[in-house]
Amino acid sequence: MDPQTQSSSLSTSHTISPDGLNYKKCKLLKEENRLLDSVLLKEENPFDFFRVFFESIIAGAMAGVVVEAALYPIDTAARGGGKVVLKGLYSGLGGNLAGVLPASAIFLGVYEPAKQKLLKALPENLSAFAHLTAGALGGAASSLVRVPTEVVKQRMQTGQFASAPAAVRLIVAKEGFRGLYAGYGSFLLRDLPFDAIQFCIYEQLRIGYKLAAQRDLNDPENAIIGAVAGAITGTVTNPLDVIKTRLMVQGSSKQYKGILDCVRTIMREEGTHAFLKGIGPRVLWIGIGGSIFFGVLEKTKQMLAKKRPENHNSFYLKQE
């Protein structure tokens, strides 16, 4: 090969090599951008809904079980007037967890997809409305499991039954299946506003904090915001909780004919201050519960997010 041909060949090789490298880089960048667009811009993907739903039910179930196991003894002692012995503090916990797990899973499984759809559909300044609505929808869906669980739990904590299976069996025998949904209307009256307000306050506080801090929140910060949201919501909804509890524990005695009759009877016999009964322990309990629940919830969501395929693909792209 003569020098002129050799020089031409070398020149050609030098021009092709960078082009090949640039092509590879462009291809990788395009792939990475496609993945980022799918995640950050949330393009419509039929699998997105199932991913969000799947992650949400796992995170919800985990958070619900942890907070219930942690606070169940405190709840039992509070309802028993502090006279419950140590052995009885965990009475009925297993049966209650069997109800809490699916209820929490259903709630988050409805809340997260509904929240994301509403946030996409509504203007940014209506994000609070999206959180309120999603919280109410989640509460309504999970109430089908939460109400029977709460009825059994409260009657066991007041000593009416020794075990959850016995409670279900005897309630159905004496009151029918409707007995498991005693106080359902008052439960919705309390828990739909409770769920909507608590999650709205929590989400809005997180948004404000992230904007001020210009970074993502860490675990302690999520827990603190959850505690604040829980305490505020517990204070606001305490009167509704008094009404709900009275209707649920009355059993077959039917002391109250309904929500309005319960309100009138309490006001007539005990005065309006009765609606604030137990507000101190309730606010403390829900504040601590909010801290644990939202702390575990966010941590679980973070762990699940790291296992998403796009995160692994992005990692490998960076390695290349």
Side-chain angles (χ1 to χ4, degrees), residues 209-242:
Y209 194 99
K210 287 173 73 173
L211 288 173
Q214 294 293 309
R215 59 174 175 79
D216 289 332
L217 279 65
N218 57 39
D219 295 340
E221 289 167 341
N222 284 323
I224 291 171
I225 291 175
V228 173
I232 293 173
T233 310
T235 302
V236 173
T237 60
N238 196 79
L240 300 178
D241 183 64
V242 171

Side-chain angles (χ1 to χ4, degrees), residues 250-264:
Q250 67 178 333
S252 57
S253 64
K254 298 299 180 184
Q255 180 183 355
Y256 309 107
K257 297 178 181 178
I259 295 173
L260 292 178
D261 181 59
C262 181
V263 172
R264 286 195 294 263

Side-chain angles (χ1 to χ4, degrees), residues 62-246:
M62 179 66 72
V65 167
V66 172
V67 72
E68 186 68 20
L71 295 185
Y72 190 86
I74 300 174
D75 190 27
T76 302
R79 294 181 188 277
K83 299 178 181 180
V84 182
V85 295
L86 183 62
K87 183 179 179 181
L89 290 178
Y90 288 94
S91 175
L93 175 60
N96 201 54
L97 289 179
V100 168
L101 191 152
S104 298
I106 291 170
F107 180 91
L108 265 298
V110 172
Y111 173 79
E112 284 293 342
K115 178 186 76 173
Q116 293 191 15
K117 289 291 184 183
L118 288 168
L119 288 174
K120 285 182 181 179
L122 297 173
E124 189 176 350
N125 60 348
L126 292 180
S127 63
F129 178 76
H131 296 138
L132 280 169
T133 305
L137 290 173
S142 65
S143 67
L144 297 175
V145 176
R146 289 164 70 181
V147 172
T149 301
E150 189 74 5
V151 169
V152 171
K153 168 186 168 182
Q154 291 192 359
R155 296 197 190 180
M156 287 184 62
Q157 288 175 328
T158 54
Q160 295 184 39
F161 304 104
S163 66
V168 173
R169 186 171 60 253
L170 292 174
I171 289 173
V172 172
K174 291 183 179 180
E175 306 169 44
F177 282 101
R178 293 182 61 183
L180 293 174
Y181 287 89
Y184 185 72
S186 63
F187 183 91
L188 294 181
L189 178 67
R190 183 205 72 171
D191 277 55
L192 289 190
F194 182 94
D195 293 332
I197 293 170
Q198 184 181 34
F199 273 79
C200 179
I201 292 174
Y202 174 73
E203 297 277 15
Q204 292 298 307
L205 286 175
R206 288 188 80 240
I207 291 172
Y209 194 99
K210 287 173 73 173
L211 288 173
Q214 294 293 309
R215 59 174 175 79
D216 289 332
L217 279 65
N218 57 39
D219 295 340
E221 289 167 341
N222 284 323
I224 291 171
I225 291 175
V228 173
I232 293 173
T233 310
T235 302
V236 173
T237 60
N238 196 79
L240 300 178
D241 183 64
V242 171
I243 297 168
K244 181 222 63 166
T245 302
R246 297 289 183 92

